[in-house]
Amino acid sequence: MLFARNLEVMIRSGMQILQSLEILKAQSKSITFRKILDQVIFDLKNGHYLADGLARYQNIFGDFFINLVRVGEASGTLSENLKYLAEELKKRDELQKKIRGAMAYPVVIFVATIGITSIMIFVIFPKILPVLTSLNVELPLVTRTFIAISQFLTKYGYLVGLALVGLAVGFWAILKIPRVRFMWHQTILATPLVKDMSRSVNIISFSRTIGLLLRAGIKIVEALEITANTLSNLVYRMEVMKVAEGVRKGDPMSKYFVASSNLFPPIFSQMVVVGENTGKLDESILFLADFYEAELDETTKSIATFIEPIMLLIMGGIVAFVALAIITPIYAITQTLGR
């Protein structure tokens, strides 16, 4: 984002691309990025375009970035396209922060619950347990249950930890299989609470990317193919590739969006129809990106509001269970001694 923004400012001020890259290289604190710019500068000195130099590092810059730079160089609008890129990357960063922000509170509550429970199981309870077992008092069911859990975790806790890590690694490895990953993305889009947020995120990403590509002058089929490759959700990626194939045959883009109302809501399809009929498709789609970003704000707030009390109830339930397991037998002992 900063690279695109700084390069745009320098080029717009009349500075040559080569000189701009030299300055950016000198300012960069990243050794890796300085090496990348070294290679790009070398390519420029040997008569290559900036986009060709960036294409060497496609895994870093991506098709979207490279193609906007390529079109900008060919049309003489490089500074304008770099400005679009900087704004888009900034919006993507803000979008990720919104999603992380919505998940932050539940994660903190979950970690706190696990922490408190672990302290009680592995630190406090082992000190109390010998006292409880040495007295001739029948322990309550909740205490016996907690003792069994505590003893099991104390003895086999490392195996449980290894099993959980193994499951996480195995799940991550299985997701590398395209078919499994596709099914996982389908599941996300069908899961209550998260499906609306996931749909909004994918629509925002699709709308901003293709809107900027069309504004930059890239043909619609090529723009759809580039956009498809930037989408992380395989369900949306496959659907956009179908749209690209249909448009190549001469069909309007909106036809496929109307048919996929589960992925693209009616308001999205209607705006695309308006854009196609008025010749201002890029404006309509970029408007949709802003519209769904505002909707995502409301969705994340709703999810956070819904999850917070549930997480608090779960945390309270676990802490109450542990507290009862410890306090109940102590109360029974004091009652026995009192008699």
Side-chain angles (χ1 to χ4, degrees):
M1 178 181 67
L2 293 174
F3 170 71
R5 180 60 178 168
N6 290 334
L7 188 58
E8 178 263 324
V9 171
M10 291 178 180
I11 293 173
R12 184 158 47 85
S13 66
M15 196 177 292
Q16 295 295 317
I17 295 177
L18 196 58
Q19 185 184 0
S20 302
L21 291 173
E22 292 280 7
I23 293 172
L24 290 174
K25 187 188 80 171
Q27 291 178 343
S28 177
K29 295 180 180 180
S30 169
I31 296 173
T32 304
F33 199 63
R34 283 204 298 268
K35 289 180 179 178
I36 291 171
L37 291 181
D38 265 333
Q39 183 61 54
V40 174
I41 290 167
F42 177 80
D43 289 339
L44 280 172
K45 288 179 178 177
N46 283 277
H48 294 283
Y49 286 104
L50 174 61
D52 296 330
L54 298 178
R56 287 178 177 269
Y57 304 96
Q58 191 273 341
N59 61 318
I60 294 173
F61 292 99
D63 290 335
F64 174 61
F65 194 105
I66 294 165
N67 278 281
L68 271 181
V69 170
R70 194 184 305 280
V71 170
E73 287 182 297
S75 61
T77 58
L78 181 57
S79 64
E80 188 176 346
N81 284 11
L82 285 169
K83 182 181 178 182
Y84 292 151
L85 275 171
E87 291 173 352
E88 169 60 14
L89 293 172
K90 181 182 177 182
K91 287 176 180 176
R92 288 186 183 185
D93 183 58
E94 289 172 350
L95 181 61
Q96 290 175 359
K97 286 177 180 176
K98 287 175 186 176
I99 297 169
R100 286 197 296 267
M103 296 295 105
Y105 185 82
V107 170
V108 169
I109 295 295
F110 177 76
V111 172
T113 304
I114 297 298
I116 292 170
T117 307
S118 299
I119 290 171
M120 289 181 171
I121 290 174
F122 296 110
V123 179
I124 298 173
F125 201 68
K127 295 178 181 178
I128 300 174
L129 183 60
V131 178
L132 297 177
T133 53
S134 65
L135 298 172
N136 296 322
V137 178
E138 185 180 355
L139 298 175
L141 176 62
V142 65
T143 305
R144 295 199 302 272
T145 303
F146 188 66
I147 288 172
I149 294 171
S150 178
Q151 289 176 336
F152 176 80
L153 290 177
T154 302
K155 192 174 182 180
Y156 302 108
Y158 70 98
L159 292 176
V160 174
L162 288 174
L164 291 173
V165 171
L167 285 172
V169 172
F171 182 71
W172 177 80
I174 289 173
L175 284 181
K176 293 292 182 182
I177 303 170
R179 181 60 186 166
V180 176
R181 200 177 185 192
F182 182 84
M183 292 171 65
W184 171 244
H185 289 164
Q186 280 183 317
T187 303
I188 291 173
L189 290 170
T191 305
L193 288 181
V194 298
K195 65 179 181 181
D196 290 336
M197 187 167 71
S198 178
R199 186 173 68 172
S200 294
V201 168
N202 282 284
I203 288 176
I204 292 165
S205 180
F206 169 80
S207 301
R208 289 208 185 285
T209 304
I210 194 168
L212 289 176
L213 290 172
L214 292 173
R215 178 179 284 181
I218 295 177
K219 293 181 180 179
I220 188 166
V221 174
E222 186 182 356
L224 284 165
E225 291 173 344
I226 293 170
T227 303
N229 290 325
T230 65
L231 298 174
S232 57
N233 188 292
L234 295 186
V235 178
Y236 272 90
R237 184 180 295 184
M238 184 175 290
E239 190 62 35
V240 174
M241 290 303 293
K242 287 180 184 177
V243 176
E245 190 59 35
V247 173
R248 184 180 282 109
K249 294 175 183 177
D251 293 331
M253 190 165 62
S254 55
K255 171 184 174 182
Y256 296 90
F257 293 142
V258 171
S260 303
S261 57
N262 59 321
L263 298 178
F264 298 96
I267 190 171
F268 183 93
S269 306
Q270 291 165 10
M271 285 298 296
V272 171
V273 170
V274 171
E276 287 177 327
N277 290 333
T278 59
K280 295 183 178 180
L281 184 58
D282 58 332
E283 291 182 17
S284 295
I285 290 182
L286 287 171
F287 168 81
L288 284 167
D290 293 333
F291 174 82
Y292 280 101
E293 190 165 351
E295 186 179 86
L296 180 64
D297 281 341
E298 295 301 319
T299 304
T300 52
K301 288 176 185 175
S302 299
I303 290 175
T305 304
F306 182 80
I307 289 177
E308 282 175 20
I310 293 176
M311 294 299 296
L312 286 172
L313 284 172
I314 293 171
M315 181 180 181
I318 293 173
V319 173
F321 170 76
V322 176
L324 283 172
I326 296 173
I327 294 171
T328 306
I330 293 174
Y331 177 77
I333 291 168
T334 56
Q335 290 291 98
T336 303
L337 294 174
R339 292 171 189 169

